[in-house]
């Protein structure tokens, strides 16, 4: 059935953005929606404006039909019910339970884990473990990207702790953190769902050495472990009182809400971390309860499917017009590409069209002076998301923020309108799509809702394509081969052998 729906969608007329606005006076009202937060006593919100995408009544109806055909309601209900939605690994995906929305037992367990985390954070802030000024958070992938983004977004001013997130095995990364910290007042957070990831465990060992060399008599006493494998953390040497567990059913790239968010809570304090969770919970309830086009993550997924599968766009770009969100494209790359970069459906059969586009992006206005040429005049059509906030994150003169936002809105307008010219080199084709997410402010609640929106958008896309967004077997083969190289005794292809020999690594 879904093949027939895709054929119908492909056959529909594809009016230009200009025509869509001209033909429908209600377009803006229908496709630009304010999401109210109202968490923590503030009345802030987020505007999600999908009006500059090519969604029209006929395509929306087609995508709603597709959602029904792909059992969207049942799959969404299964997600929130804590059922097995990751069949290849036989697991549920219970990130929403971390925010208090999901299966009752899982919500309760997450609450217990959070209470344990809150006590430890508050005890450290009270000085129970001595004077702690710095936290080196060691993790990689989902155990680092979320913490790095959240700390950068929310804790630029008045942070309760100076956090450094280190992910890469390249020692330069760890050395940069060491240079900024004093071993006498530094804690380590070792963040790994599995507590076996080679980069994280190697970096953790080196950080222990650094503490020891810096005169810390009991370096393991300075470690907090954030993991779904607490027994492994104990074996490694962390005392049980400083192990913050989370459930196996929380996926790595969905784990910022669990104890993996420890550095965020350390930097912000528990009340703000709770607001971050509460903002995400509001988006969870919205995604769980609202039907059809009014459901914001589903609406975004309809547009994503339009560009990827109907127009064949191979990438999508995200530009944060806010320095605080500069790491958002990196975070979304893992979320979207590790989740939906698949070639088989959930039932193991080959997919019948493209899956996740390549997510890329940057920060505005910098990107305008580097990559926007291609967006405006290149041969690739790149759907763009612009993300900005009305209230600035600084106290400098208002001109800074005014110019920043004017530029952001100007880019969306220019992409859509284009400009004719007799000189082909100076002509802009226009009709290029964008969406705008405009936060009132980058508050913990708004940030939580923004991230949860993207998680649900990713899930909605997966449902529409029939794929499992919660496994990531594609990352395993390279890891296995790296292990074989470390072990030695295996012969590889001539190119790889030559590289190993040049680097002095025996195989
Ligand atoms: O290699 C990919 C991956 O498994 C990610 O999915 C995960 O976020 C990351 O590695 C880190 O894994 P862990 O938290 O177990 O160290």
């Amino acid at each position: 059935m879904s093949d027939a729906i895709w054929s119908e969608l492909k056959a529909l007329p594809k009016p230009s953005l200009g025509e869509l606005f001209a033909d429908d006076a209600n377009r803006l009202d229908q496709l630009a929606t304010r999401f109210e937060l109202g968490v923590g006593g503030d009345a802030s919100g987020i505007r999600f404006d999908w009006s500059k995408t090519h969604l029209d009544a006929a395509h929306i109806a087609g995508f709603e039909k597709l959602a029904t055909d792909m059992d969207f309601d049942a799959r969404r209900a299964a997600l929130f019910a804590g059922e097995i939605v990751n069949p290849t690994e036989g697991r549920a995906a219970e990130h929403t339970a971390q925010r208090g929305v999901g299966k009752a037992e899982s919500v309760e367990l997450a609450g217990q884990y959070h209470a344990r985390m809150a006590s430890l954070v508050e005890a450290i802030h009270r000085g129970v473990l001595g004077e702690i000024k710095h936290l080196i958070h060691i993790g990689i992938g989902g155990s680092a990207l979320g913490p790095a983004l959240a700390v950068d977004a929310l804790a630029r001013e008045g942070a309760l702790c100076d956090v450094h997130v280190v992910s890469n095995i390249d020692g330069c990364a760890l050395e940069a953190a060491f240079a900024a910290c004093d071993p006498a007042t530094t804690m380590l957070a070792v963040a790994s769902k599995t507590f076996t990831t080679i980069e994280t465990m190697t970096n953790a060992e080196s950080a222990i050495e650094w503490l020891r060399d810096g005169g810390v008599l009991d370096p393991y006493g300075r470690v907090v472990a954030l993991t779904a494998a607490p027994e492994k953390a104990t074996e490694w040497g962390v005392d049980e009182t400083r192990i913050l567990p989370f459930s196996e059913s929380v996926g790595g790239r969905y784990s910022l809400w669990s104890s993996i968010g420890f550095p965020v809570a350390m930097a912000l304090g528990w009340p703000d971390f709770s607001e971050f969770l509460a903002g995400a919970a509001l988006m969870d309830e919205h995604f769980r309860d609202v039907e059809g086009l009014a459901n914001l993550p589903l609406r975004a997924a309809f547009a994503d499917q339009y560009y990827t599968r109907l127009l064949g766009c191979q990438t999508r770009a995200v530009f944060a017009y806010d320095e605080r969100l500069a790491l958002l494209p990196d975070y979304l790359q893992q979320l979207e590409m590790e989740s939906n970069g698949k070639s088989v459906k959930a039932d193991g059969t080959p997919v019948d069209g493209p899956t996740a586009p390549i997510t890329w992006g940057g920060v505005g206005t910098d990107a305008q002076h580097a990559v926007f040429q291609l967006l405006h005049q290149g041969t690739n059509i790149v759907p763009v998301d612009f993300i900005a906030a009305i209230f600035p994150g600084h106290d400098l003169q208002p001109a800074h923020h005014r110019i920043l936002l004017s530029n952001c809105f100007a880019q969306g307008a220019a992409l859509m309108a284009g400009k004719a010219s007799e000189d082909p080199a100076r002509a802009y084709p226009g009709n290029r799509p964008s969406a705008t997410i405009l936060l009132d402010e980058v508050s913990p609640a708004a940030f939580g809702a923004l991230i949860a929106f993207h998680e649900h958008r990713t899930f909605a896309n997966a449902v529409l394509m029939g794929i499992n967004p919660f496994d990531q077997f594609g990352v395993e083969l390279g890891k296995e081969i790296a292990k074989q190289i470390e072990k030695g005794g295996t012969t590889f292809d001539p190119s790889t052998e030559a590289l190993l020999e040049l680097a002095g690594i025996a195989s």
Side-chain angles (χ1 to χ4, degrees):
M1 171 70 172
S2 72
D3 286 353
I5 299 174
W6 279 115
S7 303
E8 282 170 27
L9 279 162
K10 279 183 188 146
L12 286 173
K14 305 275 178 287
S16 70
L17 292 172
E19 287 164 342
L20 290 171
F21 270 100
D23 292 350
D24 181 1
N26 290 327
R27 180 165 184 81
L28 189 61
D29 286 346
Q30 202 196 5
L31 290 169
T33 306
R34 182 173 167 82
F35 181 79
E36 296 292 348
L37 286 158
V39 172
D42 75 51
S44 72
I46 308 176
R47 180 178 175 86
F48 290 88
D49 182 350
W50 254 248
S51 64
K52 293 198 205 74
T53 70
H54 290 82
L55 291 179
D56 63 0
H59 285 90
I60 290 164
F63 283 123
E64 286 182 340
K65 203 161 138 192
L66 178 71
T68 305
D69 189 57
M70 297 306 287
D71 259 344
F72 176 77
D73 286 355
R75 288 202 58 195
R76 176 179 58 175
L79 175 78
F80 284 100
E83 288 170 21
I84 291 178
V85 289
N86 174 1
T88 51
E89 296 181 300
R91 283 186 197 148
E94 297 194 284
H95 40 287
T96 67
Q98 308 301 303
R99 284 100 74 146
V101 185
K103 187 165 86 177
E105 300 90 292
S106 309
V107 168
E108 197 187 324
L109 183 62
Q112 286 165 13
Y113 287 155
H114 276 144
R116 184 181 167 90
M117 180 171 156
S119 317
L120 185 60
V121 167
E122 278 159 8
I124 298 170
H125 283 151
R126 280 201 314 276
V128 170
L129 296 185
E131 190 191 15
I132 299 297
K133 285 189 186 159
H134 313 281
L135 173 67
I136 301 183
H137 174 95
I138 298 173
I140 199 163
S143 294
L145 289 161
L149 165 63
V151 168
D152 200 37
L154 302 173
R156 286 185 167 228
E157 262 181 44
L160 301 176
C161 181
D162 168 42
V163 175
H164 298 263
V165 176
V166 175
S167 50
N168 202 345
I169 184 67
D170 183 339
C172 296
L174 203 48
E175 272 187 357
F178 293 161
C181 300
D182 173 1
T185 54
T186 300
M187 281 200 76
L188 302 180
V190 181
S192 175
K193 180 175 174 183
T194 54
F195 228 75
T196 56
T197 303
I198 183 111
E199 294 94 328
T200 300
M201 300 323 296
T202 308
N203 277 333
E205 297 283 358
S206 296
I208 290 282
E209 281 310 301
W210 173 76
L211 285 177
R212 192 173 280 128
D213 294 348
V216 177
L217 297 178
D218 174 21
Y220 285 93
R222 291 282 188 80
V223 176
V224 175
L226 320 171
T227 186
E231 67 298 338
K232 293 217 169 65
T234 311
E235 261 168 50
W236 190 74
V238 188
D239 187 76
E240 193 270 335
T241 54
R242 278 173 285 95
I243 297 177
L244 297 177
F246 63 94
S247 301
E248 192 61 49
S249 58
V250 177
R253 55 192 171 275
Y254 299 86
S255 64
L256 174 57
W257 325 92
S258 71
S259 62
I260 294 293
F262 172 76
V264 187
M266 281 292 292
L268 296 183
W270 196 260
D272 275 7
F273 188 77
S274 299
E275 283 198 17
F276 161 64
L277 298 178
L282 288 176
M283 186 56 77
D284 291 336
E285 285 162 1
H286 168 87
F287 182 64
R288 183 193 61 193
D289 300 338
V290 174
E291 298 306 326
L293 181 73
N295 186 310
L296 295 167
L298 184 62
R299 181 190 303 178
F302 287 171
D304 293 339
Q305 291 300 309
Y306 182 107
Y307 295 114
T308 310
R309 286 183 82 123
L310 299 183
L311 288 206
C313 300
Q314 293 193 336
T315 82
R316 87 171 197 93
V318 181
F319 294 101
Y321 273 68
D322 198 302
E323 276 294 311
R324 293 166 293 179
L325 299 176
L327 297 177
L328 184 64
D330 291 10
Y331 177 84
L332 293 179
Q333 280 184 330
Q334 187 201 20
L335 176 63
E336 299 179 0
M337 293 163 72
E338 196 167 86
S339 295
N340 288 345
K342 309 280 168 68
S343 299
V344 290
K345 295 190 202 165
D347 63 7
T349 58
V351 292
D352 41 19
T355 57
I358 296 156
T359 307
W360 64 287
V363 69
T365 60
D366 297 15
Q368 288 176 206
H369 302 274
V371 295
F372 275 37
Q373 163 64 37
L374 180 147
L375 300 183
H376 288 285
Q377 289 186 318
T379 50
N380 296 282
I381 303 296
V382 182
V384 176
D385 281 6
F386 294 108
I387 304 180
I390 294 174
F391 293 105
H394 60 81
D395 296 324
L396 298 187
Q397 53 160 312
H400 283 274
H401 206 59
R402 200 179 57 241
I403 296 169
L404 179 75
L405 292 189
S406 306
N407 269 276
C408 175
F409 305 150
Q411 292 301 325
L415 285 166
M416 179 167 95
K419 190 177 169 212
S421 169
E422 289 190 355
D423 174 357
R426 289 181 168 79
Y428 297 76
N431 192 30
R432 301 207 163 186
S434 66
T436 305
I437 301 176
L438 183 62
L439 286 68
D440 283 350
E441 58 184 325
V442 183
S443 63
F447 178 75
L450 178 72
I451 301 299
F453 163 82
H454 283 97
E455 288 179 347
H456 293 315
R457 172 188 189 164
T458 303
F459 175 76
N461 270 302
V463 173
L464 296 177
M465 296 182 290
I467 63 180
N468 171 9
F470 298 117
D471 63 10
Q472 60 285 315
F473 292 109
V475 301
E476 295 305 328
L477 180 59
K479 285 186 198 171
E480 270 167 40
I481 294 180
K483 273 190 203 149
Q484 286 170 16
I485 292 173
E486 275 289 288
K487 206 166 139 213
T490 308
T491 304
F492 299 96
D493 62 85
S495 160
T496 306
E497 284 293 328
L499 292 167
L500 289 169
E501 196 178 323
L502 277 171
I505 302 170
S507 71

